[in-house]
Amino acid sequence: MEQVLKHSARWAAGLPLAVCRPRWAALRCCSTREQPSPRPAPAAGGPEEGPPPGGTGRPPPPALPAVSGAAAGSGAPRVGRPWHKAEERRGRPAAASRERWGWSGGDFSKARRRLKQQPLSVERTKGSEILFGIAPCSLALSQSRRDLFRLFLKQSSGSRRLVMSEFVLQATARGVPVHHVTRRELDALCRGRVHQGVCLEATPLHFKSLEEAEKPDLGDEESPNRQLIWLVLEQIKDPMNLGALLRSAYFLGVDRVVASQRNSCPLTPTVSKASSGTMEVFDVYSTDDLRSFLKAKTAEGWEVVGTVSKPEEVENVPVISCLEFRWNKPIIIVIGSEGDGLSLETQLLCHRMLAIPPGRVLHPGIESLNVSVATGILLHSICSQKLRHSD
């Protein structure tokens, strides 16, 4: 055995094939503990071949492919040798050579992991969208504002099982098919967003038209001071901000939300998730002519109040602190986008502008609030007066 290993080392060092082949064949037999295949019986009437002179009676090893250079091998690629180039010189495609030698060891597990990472495709109903999250899906199931197609639930156990059972009951009551799927399938459905184990295929929600909505009852002349508050959004493009605005408006008692159609975010599943499902129960209206809408409400006796983060940037419109604002008639609070604020044309249609006083001297560059946070502060300051009047 020791001599066999020595000759194998000579082969690895690049010695001639004639010296190494017999020993390499013996090493293969010893290392694999395999016996040479028996000689096939000669064909009937054919000449019988005897063992080669001086041989052992064993069949010769299979012919080895020729390798350029002084070294020769047993058909297995040498370490560090560009084997696919040798295959190309023999007329075989390099891709076939790589495929021949690439599927060994851990390559199968790597391919399996790559397959798992590929996104799954679920054939959706035409015109549908995927809601995600516990609150949006639960409220969408409880309302009749959407057409519902399929409910997807994560296979779960423990405390989550009770929540999923409630979803099954809701879906069964609405006649919605329920599919229990893996987390990876849910991730693919909602494109990696936070789904909390629930997705719902449904038709989209759209803004309601102000022209089609019923007009609110402002009361007769005997009660002209009835407090109504509408929130108007000008060019809110971020779905997370829009969802947070809807959630705050609903919680604090805003009567109606109106969004400008131009450069505004639609009512997407992300908006519903950011609103914690508020969008599923709270009507949102839109107008394609914000200026005409504000002028019409002013003619009806409403007060239009704008918002600003930097009072020095406003001209020809009085600016007061939200803590000083008092109201005794229906008002419209107009909120602009986080980056640009209200447009100049909209500012000139406002009777007053509200600002939030900071609690300290602000460092340059940190002089404003997120639009949804600022709106929550303003609405709380104003709507708290409404609550006091109703007591």
Side-chain angles (χ1 to χ4, degrees):
M1 183 64 181
E2 183 178 356
Q3 292 182 354
V4 171
L5 295 176
K6 287 181 179 179
H7 284 286
S8 301
R10 291 180 184 177
W11 170 83
L15 294 181
L17 176 63
V19 177
C20 301
R21 179 183 291 174
R23 299 298 180 180
W24 178 252
L27 178 62
R28 292 176 63 189
C29 293
C30 293
S31 62
T32 58
R33 299 182 182 274
E34 293 180 358
Q35 296 299 326
S37 304
R39 294 177 59 195
E48 182 177 353
E49 296 181 1
T56 60
R58 296 176 178 171
L64 302 177
V67 181
S68 61
S74 64
R78 290 172 56 184
V79 177
R81 188 171 186 82
W83 186 253
H84 62 279
K85 293 184 179 179
E87 293 286 341
E88 286 180 339
R89 286 195 292 270
R90 296 189 190 94
R92 302 175 185 173
S97 174
R98 287 193 295 270
E99 183 179 0
R100 176 183 175 187
W101 298 105
W103 291 95
S104 60
D107 289 340
F108 286 104
S109 61
K110 292 180 182 178
R112 193 179 300 114
R113 286 195 298 269
R114 285 196 299 268
L115 182 62
K116 287 183 178 181
Q117 293 172 358
Q118 294 178 358
L120 301 179
S121 59
V122 177
E123 185 176 354
R124 296 226 310 257
T125 306
K126 185 177 181 180
S128 69
E129 64 182 15
I130 298 296
L131 283 176
F132 54 92
I134 291 178
C137 294
S138 178
L139 291 171
L141 282 168
S142 66
Q143 305 299 308
S144 301
R145 304 177 67 192
R146 297 177 182 262
D147 292 333
L148 309 178
F149 302 113
R150 286 178 293 179
L151 177 67
F152 300 91
L153 300 177
K154 179 180 176 293
Q155 301 167 351
S156 60
S157 59
S159 59
R160 283 281 182 178
R161 179 172 293 179
L162 179 60
V163 175
M164 299 308 166
S165 299
E166 293 176 356
F167 270 104
V168 172
L169 292 176
Q170 281 185 295
T172 303
R174 292 287 306 271
V176 180
V178 179
H179 300 269
H180 295 275
V181 297
T182 64
R183 183 182 189 88
R184 188 166 65 96
E185 291 172 307
L186 288 173
D187 291 341
L189 279 170
C190 65
R191 298 180 181 179
R193 298 180 178 92
V194 182
H195 50 69
Q196 300 175 293
V198 185
C199 287
L200 178 64
E201 184 184 13
T203 54
L205 284 181
H206 301 287
F207 292 109
K208 287 195 170 184
S209 172
L210 280 176
E211 289 74 14
E212 298 175 358
E214 62 180 14
K215 294 182 179 180
D217 182 13
L218 299 183
D220 52 24
E221 295 180 355
E222 296 180 357
S223 56
N225 297 332
R226 180 179 177 186
Q227 288 184 308
L228 289 174
I229 179 169
W230 285 16
L231 180 65
V232 172
L233 309 175
E234 183 183 35
Q235 299 185 13
I236 301 296
K237 304 174 185 178
D238 189 337
M240 301 298 292
N241 279 336
L242 178 56
L245 285 166
L246 294 179
R247 186 175 184 178
S248 297
Y250 179 79
F251 182 86
L252 294 171
V254 171
D255 295 289
R256 184 169 295 180
V257 175
V258 182
S260 62
Q261 289 184 3
R262 183 173 174 268
N263 293 332
S264 293
C265 175
L267 299 179
T268 65
T270 301
V271 175
S272 185
K273 182 66 168 62
S275 73
S276 192
T278 299
M279 193 184 87
E280 306 300 322
V281 299
F282 193 37
D283 289 333
V284 186
Y285 298 83
S286 70
T287 176
D288 58 355
D289 190 348
L290 183 59
R291 279 74 173 175
S292 297
F293 165 73
L294 294 177
K295 290 177 181 179
K297 301 310 289 183
T298 299
E300 293 176 9
W302 290 61
E303 183 176 8
V304 179
V305 180
T307 55
V308 63
S309 59
K310 298 179 180 180
E312 63 275 9
E313 296 181 356
V314 180
E315 298 180 3
N316 302 324
V317 182
V319 181
I320 63 172
S321 167
C322 63
L323 303 177
E324 302 173 358
F325 177 73
R326 297 293 181 268
W327 58 301
N328 55 9
K329 59 182 178 179
I331 63 170
I332 290 177
I333 306 296
V334 189
I335 305 292
S337 64
E338 186 168 355
D340 301 327
L342 292 177
S343 64
L344 179 60
E345 295 83 357
T346 302
Q347 289 183 26
L348 295 176
L349 293 174
C350 296
H351 300 101
R352 287 184 281 182
M353 303 290 287
L354 300 183
I356 301 174
R360 58 160 26 106
V361 177
L362 301 177
H363 191 282
I366 316 176
E367 301 170 340
S368 63
L369 293 168
N370 171 273
V371 63
S372 63
V373 174
T375 303
I377 295 173
L378 291 170
L379 289 178
H380 181 266
S381 176
I382 296 170
C383 292
S384 61
Q385 300 179 38
K386 180 179 179 180
L387 294 176
R388 287 196 296 267
H389 279 78
S390 61
D391 292 342

